[in-house]
Amino acid sequence: MTDFSAGSRAYFRRLLSSPVWGASALLIASLTGLVLANSPWASAYAGLMTFPLRLSWLGADGPGTVGAWVSDGLMSLFFLVVILEIRKEIVSGHLSSFRRIALPLIGAVGGMIVPALTYLLVTYGHPETVRGWAVPVATDAAFTLPIILALGRHVSPGARVWLMALAIFDDVLGIVVIALFYGHALYWPAMGAVMILTGALIGANRAGIMSLWSYGIGGGLLWSALLYSGLHPTLAGVVTGLCLPAGVSGRAVGDASPLERVAAGLGSFVTWGVLPLFGFMNVGVSLTGFRPEMMLKAVPLGIMAGLVIGKPLGVFGATFIATKLKIADLPVATSMRMIFGLSLLCGIGFTISLFIAGLAFSTPDLASSARLGIFAGSVFSALIGWLWLRFSMNYASSGSATG
């Protein structure tokens, strides 16, 4: 009985930490939202998202519905976990040296610029669509990494590391875009509170304070101040993650740092709770009256073109130029053909793209069109990327060719 219980606990630990099953939960929840939005329960589904949920002490600027709490509140935890993963990689992982950082960083920058320009080119002449330029710039690591893990021997270990690092930089650039371009007019008294609280969190880090309560309370107060400041409140997760101590000064060897404790404590909750809930509430687009030609409208066409064409061209093109200029080298046993296949997978935008679309478009028609474009573009990118890598690549037999 003891062995069975121990085995069951080990199984569930592996299940909770599996990127493949985590991505499956996000996909299933998102498809459930899409099905409900087009079922006899569509009104109940819409009512859930708009169900009033307002805390009086936050005032009129606080989230007022269940959907707003998920996007503005719970997604702060998602960005917190992202930042913690980035810091772990910088300290001792895939981003611990300049040579490891250069190639995926350059690819991520190219993968931001080209899809944004592609979107603007496709939607040129439609001024109401301009705010959506950033929707196709993000890569969703929650889906891309499980796909390359499932491809096994068709993707080299070095290429997996490259894509993981690129996805991390992609998230950072997405956070910067949200902060700079999708806030509101700044309210300076609240900005003063934001700066004071940020300084307090930095000071706590410098002073070696290890109490998670200190950072939790500080992060919560910072989130409240950001609501009024004009910046997006999810930035509280970013700042808090940057300030959490990564060391364990004064403690026994082997003790987990605050950063590691929070990452371990929140990782499964974000993977199995926050992201599926976000997908459930944001992919639910009514297809009533839908016609295939509607995908040729400016917003969905621009997003699909940005994800399917612009994203891989930007990532691959920037990576190709960086290697030819000897700025950085390709990973071991990784060819440019393999990099191209992985660049196709970078067109899976999904989570961050849906998040930015919700900030960019306030009208229901444009928001629904954007979600359709994101869903179609991400699915197509996943399909063509998987087919390319599955049927044209086998790193075990191709050696370490780089051409």
Side-chain angles (χ1 to χ4, degrees):
M1 184 69 177
T2 302
D3 291 340
F4 175 79
S5 299
S8 298
R9 288 195 297 270
Y11 171 78
F12 281 111
R13 280 197 298 269
R14 291 195 300 271
L15 178 66
L16 290 174
S17 62
S18 167
V20 175
W21 287 107
S24 299
L26 173 56
L27 181 61
I28 291 170
S30 301
L31 290 175
T32 301
L34 183 63
V35 170
L36 287 177
N38 295 277
S39 73
W41 301 282
S43 59
Y45 171 77
L48 173 63
M49 289 189 294
T50 58
F51 187 82
L53 185 61
R54 186 179 297 280
L55 298 180
S56 58
W57 61 273
L58 289 175
D61 289 326
T65 64
V66 170
W69 273 103
V70 172
S71 295
D72 295 347
L74 290 180
M75 284 299 283
S76 299
L77 301 179
F78 167 72
F79 287 114
L80 170 60
V81 170
V82 167
I83 290 297
L84 296 182
E85 290 300 321
I86 292 168
R87 291 188 61 201
K88 286 164 60 180
E89 296 298 337
I90 290 174
V91 171
S92 60
H94 302 129
L95 306 179
S96 58
S97 70
F98 175 78
R99 298 292 293 181
R100 292 181 175 184
I101 289 174
L103 194 64
L105 176 58
I106 292 169
V109 172
M112 167 177 274
I113 295 172
V114 178
L117 293 176
T118 302
Y119 174 89
L120 291 173
L121 179 64
V122 173
T123 60
Y124 180 77
H126 301 271
E128 73 280 5
T129 68
V130 171
R131 275 182 59 82
W133 65 269
V135 173
V137 306
T139 295
D140 193 337
F143 281 111
T144 53
L145 295 180
I147 289 174
I148 63 170
L149 289 175
L151 282 164
R153 63 184 175 82
H154 298 281
V155 179
S156 70
R160 294 192 192 107
V161 169
W162 173 83
L163 183 61
M164 182 182 298
L166 187 144
I168 288 171
F169 283 124
D170 218 69
D171 285 335
V172 173
L173 292 174
I175 291 168
V176 172
V177 165
I178 291 167
L180 295 179
F181 299 101
Y182 292 98
H184 304 288
L186 296 181
Y187 179 57
W188 288 106
M191 278 299 298
V194 168
M195 289 185 279
I196 291 171
L197 289 164
T198 300
L201 287 168
I202 295 173
N205 178 288
R206 295 290 179 87
I209 294 175
M210 297 290 169
S211 169
L212 293 185
W213 280 105
S214 301
Y215 297 96
I217 293 172
L221 292 173
L222 179 61
W223 182 85
S224 300
L226 283 164
L227 279 173
Y228 297 92
S229 70
L231 298 176
H232 201 272
T234 51
L235 288 173
V238 177
V239 175
T240 305
L242 290 173
C243 293
L244 276 169
V248 288
S249 177
R251 298 194 174 196
V253 175
D255 283 356
S257 68
L259 185 153
E260 292 168 331
R261 287 154 59 197
V262 173
L266 286 179
S268 295
F269 175 68
V270 168
T271 299
W272 293 90
V274 175
L275 290 180
L277 187 58
F278 178 80
F280 174 76
M281 291 193 163
N282 282 272
V283 180
V285 180
S286 175
L287 300 178
T288 302
F290 172 78
R291 300 181 305 279
E293 58 267 26
M294 292 172 65
M295 299 301 292
L296 299 178
K297 289 184 177 181
V299 168
L301 185 62
I303 291 172
M304 286 190 295
L307 291 173
V308 178
I309 300 173
K311 192 70 180 180
L313 283 181
V315 171
F316 180 78
T319 303
F320 180 82
I321 292 171
T323 57
K324 292 302 179 183
L325 295 178
K326 307 298 184 183
I327 297 173
D329 300 322
L330 286 177
V332 175
T334 302
S335 66
M336 289 305 302
R337 188 168 62 174
M338 188 181 293
I339 292 292
F340 180 72
L342 295 174
S343 299
L344 292 171
L345 290 179
C346 288
I348 305 174
F350 215 64
T351 305
I352 300 295
S353 292
L354 287 169
F355 188 76
I356 295 176
L359 300 175
F361 299 119
S362 57
T363 61
D365 288 345
L366 288 177
S368 296
S369 294
R371 289 195 289 269
L372 285 172
I374 293 166
F375 193 77
S378 296
V379 169
F380 192 67
S381 294
L383 179 61
I384 59 176
W386 184 84
L387 289 173
W388 177 277
L389 293 166
R390 174 63 180 80
F391 294 105
S392 72
M393 294 307 311
N394 183 347
Y395 86 90
S397 63
S398 63
S400 57
T402 58

